[in-house]
Amino acid sequence: MPRNPTLKSPWAARDRVTEREAKREAVLQTAARAFAENGYHRTSLEEIAARLGVSKPTIYYYARNKDDLIAAIAARALDEIVAAMDADEQSSALSQLSHLLRRYAEIMTTDFGQCAIVVRDARIEGTVGEGFRKSMSLIDTRIRELLILGEKDGSIAKCDIKLTSFMIAGAINEIVRWYDPAGTLAPPMIAEKFVNQLTTGLAPRK
Amino acid sequence: MPRNPTLKSPWAARDRVTEREAKREAVLQTAARAFAENGYHRTSLEEIAARLGVSKPTIYYYARNKDDLIAAIAARALDEIVAAMDADEQSSALSQLSHLLRRYAEIMTTDFGQCAIVVRDARIEGTVGEGFRKSMSLIDTRIRELLILGEKDGSIAKCDIKLTSFMIAGAINEIVRWYDPAGTLAPPMIAEKFVNQLTTGLAPRK
């Protein structure tokens, strides 16, 4: 902390940026929680402001309206999945796909993941909705690429690429509908078991 | 057809029942189509009446309100899945499960299946909603029973019963979100490929 608070220092400037980021983060986290608990339609900006102990105009500093707010939350969820898409030339396609799907499944157990599915289903228009659909499409494209690569490197059995990508995304997206934070399985374990089941299938391996 | 239409005959009585059933069927089919095309909130009873070329009061003869109407459609969808649950002691658990899941997947490509998912997500209260949740639970219980049976008869690999049942239902329920009637694959083929993929898994079989 600077000894003389009236003195402007680059540290103070950096702190202001950090503080702004921390506040934005608190708004997103609190809003995501409220949307996940009560649904999009039953959650108001007033309620989110009240949870944060700030005025409604303060919220407007971070989001123009409720659509923008939930879209920012949804975008964050997808960004975290996209971050798990990095190509790793050393690993098999199946192992890269498993890494991506585990992260995808984990995100779907969070408030942010739940908001992502709300945004998808609400078909929000405009630039925010567009950005969201672009990220969804990025993830879908990467899953299909890895299925094709896997057939080539022998780590994934030949399959109907389109149907299989739909099947995988469907199974994972629906985690938001049944995941119970009070349940006995932690998200990383759910993600692990889920990906194993998709990998090995129902029939016993000889 | 009776030669003298003024003469009351058991056939005429049966025809009236048949006619009532046919009309009810037309109402359900038309409403399911409208809901599937435009969503629940953007579809009014007026519009459904207009599609059928009848007055709105005529619709009230078949359903008290919009909730009741879509719930009846959803219940029909589930009834068709429940009808594929008959135990067949001659077949392996995996083959019985495949039969059930193929039918389940097929229903999810129909307007009726789409309405079932709308009803699930809308959490409609009261007796109609209760009946719907009871049927959903019946299907879930049967899937879990077959997974357990399959482990015993050796047709299904040991798995986490709860997570696997969620995974299967999730993958199939999401068919309503991507199925395109104008696509190249017919519903029975989609159902077949879907169940095969769930059965064999992503990793190649040695």
Side-chain angles (χ1 to χ4, degrees):
Chain A
M1 196 194 282
R3 284 188 215 149
N4 181 346
T6 61
L7 191 73
K8 283 211 170 180
S9 91
W11 291 104
R14 208 172 71 179
D15 282 347
R16 275 202 304 280
V17 171
T18 311
E19 202 189 313
R20 200 188 304 146
E21 265 315 297
K23 282 182 179 168
R24 185 181 149 77
E25 189 59 34
V27 170
L28 293 184
Q29 294 268 3
T30 304
R33 186 91 278 253
F35 288 134
E37 278 175 10
N38 304 321
Y40 180 67
H41 294 291
R42 282 188 296 272
T43 304
S44 64
L45 291 185
E46 280 89 348
E47 192 202 323
I48 294 166
R51 285 188 184 216
L52 286 158
V54 301
S55 69
K56 197 175 157 191
T58 307
I59 301 288
Y60 285 124
Y61 182 74
Y62 300 96
R64 273 183 315 163
N65 53 40
K66 209 164 78 164
D67 272 11
D68 265 20
L69 187 53
I70 198 166
I73 294 166
R76 165 79 66 82
L78 295 194
D79 285 351
E80 300 233 359
I81 303 170
V82 169
M85 279 180 10
D86 293 356
D88 171 6
E89 308 295 341
Q90 307 303 315
S91 307
S92 72
L94 180 60
S95 133
Q96 291 183 66
L97 181 62
S98 300
H99 173 67
L100 167 58
L101 298 184
R102 271 196 300 271
R103 193 74 193 111
Y104 187 173
E106 273 181 17
I107 298 292
M108 288 300 138
T109 66
T110 68
D111 295 336
F112 284 74
Q114 202 155 330
C115 290
I117 297 301
V118 170
V119 169
R120 179 197 65 173
D121 294 347
R123 294 178 204 186
I124 291 175
E125 305 294 327
T127 43
V128 199
E130 275 309 313
F132 179 81
R133 278 185 288 277
K134 211 180 240 174
S135 298
M136 282 291 266
S137 164
L138 259 181
I139 297 166
D140 180 54
T141 303
R142 183 63 183 151
I143 292 176
R144 294 185 193 204
E145 271 173 15
L146 287 170
L147 291 174
I148 294 166
L149 269 173
E151 202 190 312
K152 281 190 195 139
D153 76 14
S155 62
I156 296 176
K158 189 172 164 56
C159 65
D160 185 309
I161 303 293
K162 200 168 124 186
L163 281 185
T164 305
S165 72
F166 281 145
M167 199 194 81
I168 292 171
I172 295 181
N173 289 337
E174 286 247 327
I175 290 176
V176 308
R177 309 214 185 267
W178 56 258
Y179 173 67
D180 174 10
T184 51
L185 281 180
M189 186 53 83
I190 290 176
E192 182 71 27
K193 285 177 175 251
F194 228 70
V195 173
N196 283 348
Q197 184 64 46
L198 281 170
T199 304
T200 57
L202 291 169
R205 304 234 151 206
K206 304 296 173 219
Chain B
M1 197 193 285
R3 283 187 216 149
N4 181 347
T6 61
L7 191 72
K8 282 211 171 180
S9 89
W11 291 103
R14 207 174 70 178
D15 282 346
R16 275 202 304 280
V17 170
T18 311
E19 201 188 315
R20 201 188 303 146
E21 267 313 298
K23 282 181 179 168
R24 184 180 150 77
E25 188 60 34
V27 170
L28 292 184
Q29 295 268 3
T30 305
R33 186 93 278 256
F35 288 133
E37 278 175 9
N38 304 321
Y40 179 67
H41 293 293
R42 282 188 296 272
T43 305
S44 63
L45 290 185
E46 280 89 347
E47 192 201 322
I48 295 166
R51 284 187 184 216
L52 285 158
V54 302
S55 68
K56 196 175 157 192
T58 306
I59 301 288
Y60 284 124
Y61 182 74
Y62 300 97
R64 274 183 314 162
N65 53 41
K66 208 164 78 163
D67 271 10
D68 265 21
L69 187 53
I70 197 165
I73 294 166
R76 164 79 65 83
L78 295 194
D79 286 351
E80 300 232 0
I81 302 169
V82 169
M85 278 179 12
D86 292 358
D88 171 7
E89 309 294 340
Q90 307 303 317
S91 307
S92 72
L94 180 60
S95 132
Q96 291 183 65
L97 182 62
S98 300
H99 173 68
L100 167 57
L101 298 183
R102 270 196 300 270
R103 194 73 193 112
Y104 188 174
E106 273 180 19
I107 298 293
M108 288 300 138
T109 66
T110 68
D111 295 335
F112 283 75
Q114 202 156 329
C115 289
I117 296 302
V118 170
V119 169
R120 179 197 65 171
D121 295 347
R123 295 180 203 183
I124 292 175
E125 304 295 327
T127 44
V128 201
E130 275 310 312
F132 179 81
R133 277 185 288 278
K134 212 181 241 172
S135 298
M136 281 291 265
S137 164
L138 259 181
I139 297 166
D140 180 53
T141 303
R142 184 63 183 153
I143 292 176
R144 293 184 194 204
E145 271 174 13
L146 287 169
L147 291 175
I148 294 166
L149 270 172
E151 201 189 313
K152 280 190 196 138
D153 76 12
S155 62
I156 296 177
K158 190 172 164 54
C159 64
D160 185 310
I161 302 295
K162 201 168 123 186
L163 282 186
T164 305
S165 72
F166 281 145
M167 199 195 81
I168 292 171
I172 296 181
N173 289 337
E174 286 248 327
I175 290 177
V176 308
R177 311 216 183 265
W178 55 260
Y179 173 67
D180 173 12
T184 50
L185 281 180
M189 185 52 83
I190 290 176
E192 182 71 26
K193 284 177 176 251
F194 229 70
V195 173
N196 283 348
Q197 184 64 46
L198 281 170
T199 304
T200 58
L202 291 168
R205 303 236 153 205
K206 303 293 172 225

